[in-house]
Amino acid sequence: MDLFVLRHGKAGQSTGDPDDSTRPLTPGGREEIRDIARWMRRERFRFDIIASSPLIRASETAGIVARALDRKDRLDMWEELAPGGDMDTVCYRAAQSRDSSAILIVGHEPALSELIGRIISQGETTSIVISKGGLAKIRNFTFDSKPSGKLQWLLTPKLILSMH
């Protein structure tokens, strides 16, 4: 299975409020994600599941992608993708979708970088940074005793949009 990891688009400034769940994408963040989603459509991406954090900025990002790819019926909210969620549970849930050939996960930093690092290093510590709107592709994702897979690419929004 191929596992794709997308960080939410640019969101409004954090107010320092402990409940940061309602912070939406900025107009520029929405436009950038629309452009990335159009690139995905042109490149013929097809996701069997689009799993999103329930926080507004991530669910907006996932919704934009789902609409652009005509996959709204594949959109699912995974509570464990919210900040502080358990990335082992994310790996387990993704691995349970054995009939899926491609899953898109939409969430937040630093969890997404930790998730990618954990998968490609088979549990060892690896440092990766995924920018807002950044997209990674992990090939041959599995989760037997621990998650594993191979990072095929990690793209910044600027690079994606230069291919647009």
Side-chain angles (χ1 to χ4, degrees):
M1 151 190 338
D2 290 334
L3 186 67
F4 293 81
V5 179
L6 175 65
R7 184 174 175 193
H8 67 76
K10 294 177 183 124
Q13 289 289 18
S14 176
T15 62
D17 185 338
D19 180 16
D20 192 40
S21 63
T22 60
R23 193 160 43 102
L25 295 176
T26 63
R30 275 193 283 291
E31 188 57 37
E32 184 173 69
I33 294 299
R34 279 188 205 102
D35 289 342
I36 290 167
R38 283 192 279 270
W39 172 79
M40 289 177 169
R41 183 179 61 224
R42 196 173 48 261
E43 295 297 318
R44 300 196 171 151
F45 282 63
R46 186 164 177 87
F47 302 113
D48 300 302
I49 297 171
I50 299 174
S52 175
S53 158
L55 275 65
I56 297 296
R57 56 194 177 274
S59 63
E60 280 185 297
T61 299
I64 290 167
V65 171
R67 281 189 300 280
L69 300 179
D70 196 27
R71 304 300 280 176
K72 289 189 295 188
D73 61 325
R74 304 304 175 128
L75 190 55
D76 194 14
M77 296 299 144
W78 289 7
E79 291 294 326
E80 51 277 5
L81 284 169
D86 181 23
M87 291 301 107
D88 282 336
T89 303
V90 171
C91 289
Y92 177 79
R93 282 191 75 174
Q96 296 309 301
S97 306
R98 297 190 199 290
D99 294 338
S100 300
S101 60
I103 296 176
L104 175 65
I105 290 176
V106 182
H108 313 271
E109 279 294 279
L112 294 181
S113 291
E114 292 170 8
L115 174 68
I116 295 167
R118 183 178 300 171
I119 293 169
I120 66 172
S121 67
Q122 297 184 345
E124 301 299 319
T125 303
T126 302
S127 180
I128 289 179
V129 176
I130 186 167
S131 57
K132 289 180 182 156
L135 180 66
K137 180 180 181 182
I138 299 170
R139 293 196 54 105
N140 304 319
F141 169 76
T142 61
F143 185 50
D144 295 320
S145 60
K146 57 186 167 184
S148 69
K150 301 194 180 318
L151 180 64
Q152 185 169 10
W153 43 255
L154 174 60
L155 303 174
T156 64
K158 186 175 181 179
L159 185 57
I160 293 169
L161 298 177
S162 74
M163 297 184 283
H164 188 58

